[in-house]
């Protein structure tokens, strides 16, 4: 790379600070992600999740699916991952997920999109430089059908004091 290109480069900040998370604000997360059968088989095998409906098309068909569905934990992890740049880039401790629901099957070749709504925020009583923020995150397929939703929370730095 030439030094000229590097000299002209501008740093683009990613993420948001505690003050940016006004309750009710909606974040539509970037790009989306198409999942393949190969990713499904690899994820299912590596996580030792040996439910045959995710790896055996005949079992999946016997259960009423047209093909093997994508493992719901892969769907959840992908939706969660799509939200990180917007929600927790300036955070530290991940405080948990609750109210996780899978509302419909997701199949190879489908594309996930995600959006999150700020539910609440409060200043931390033990960390003066941080606040706790909670979000409701939803994952949709390319037909805009809800496939997954959950609540999550993080410690997030206040603007100007974060690392």
């Amino acid at each position: 790379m030439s030094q000229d290109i590097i000299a002209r480069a501008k740093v683009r900040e990613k993420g948001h600070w505690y003050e940016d998370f006004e309750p009710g604000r909606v974040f539509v997360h970037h790009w989306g992600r198409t999942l393949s059968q190969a990713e499904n088989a690899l994820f299912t095998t590596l996580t030792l999740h040996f439910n045959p409906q995710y790896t055996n098309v005949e079992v999946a068909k016997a259960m009423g699916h047209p093909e093997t569905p994508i493992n719901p934990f892969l769907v959840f992890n992908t939706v969660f991952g799509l939200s990180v740049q917007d929600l927790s880039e300036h955070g530290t401790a991940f405080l948990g997920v609750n109210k996780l629901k899978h509302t419909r099957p997701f199949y190879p070749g489908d594309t996930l999109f995600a959006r999150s709504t700020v539910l609440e925020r409060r200043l931390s009583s033990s960390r003066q430089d941080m606040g706790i923020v909670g979000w409701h995150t939803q994952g949709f397929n390319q037909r805009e059908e809800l496939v997954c939703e959950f609540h999550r929370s993080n410690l997030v730095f206040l603007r100007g004091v974060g690392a």
Side-chain angles (χ1 to χ4, degrees):
M1 239 189 236
S2 87
Q3 292 300 319
D4 181 49
I5 292 172
I6 295 171
R8 287 185 289 132
K10 292 184 171 77
V11 174
R12 295 182 100 176
E13 191 171 320
K14 296 179 185 176
H16 294 87
W17 302 98
Y18 173 83
E19 293 85 353
D20 299 324
F21 294 115
E22 195 65 41
R25 182 175 178 187
V26 176
F27 291 86
V28 177
H29 305 301
H30 61 81
W31 308 312
R33 177 83 162 74
T34 303
L35 297 177
S36 70
Q37 180 55 36
E39 292 169 305
N40 184 53
L42 182 62
F43 178 89
T44 299
T45 303
L46 289 175
T47 58
L48 303 176
H49 190 154
F50 294 117
N51 184 327
Q53 73 175 318
Y54 307 125
T55 56
N56 182 322
V57 71
E58 298 308 319
V59 170
K61 286 180 179 179
M63 296 180 74
H65 296 286
E67 59 183 310
T68 54
I70 298 289
N71 186 316
F73 291 112
L74 176 56
V75 172
F76 161 70
N77 280 293
T78 303
V79 171
F80 189 105
L82 290 170
S83 74
V84 167
Q85 186 174 351
D86 289 325
L87 305 184
S88 52
E89 194 79 24
H90 289 300
T92 58
F94 165 62
L95 301 176
V97 165
N98 59 36
K99 299 184 181 180
L100 172 61
K101 286 193 269 185
H102 294 277
T103 57
R104 66 178 355 98
F106 193 81
Y107 295 101
D110 283 347
T111 301
L112 278 170
F113 297 93
R115 74 171 177 239
S116 297
T117 304
V118 180
L119 295 175
E120 59 190 347
R121 70 175 186 181
R122 66 179 173 82
L123 294 172
S124 171
S125 59
S126 61
R127 294 283 312 262
Q128 301 305 309
D129 58 343
M130 304 192 89
I132 297 170
V133 183
W135 303 276
H136 175 218
T137 299
Q138 299 171 296
F140 299 89
N141 63 21
Q142 68 275 13
R143 292 177 297 280
E144 299 183 13
E145 298 166 326
L146 181 68
V147 296
C148 175
E149 65 181 326
F150 53 90
H151 291 186
R152 69 178 274 227
S153 57
N154 271 77
L155 274 172
V156 178
F157 281 107
L158 277 64
R159 182 175 274 107
V161 296

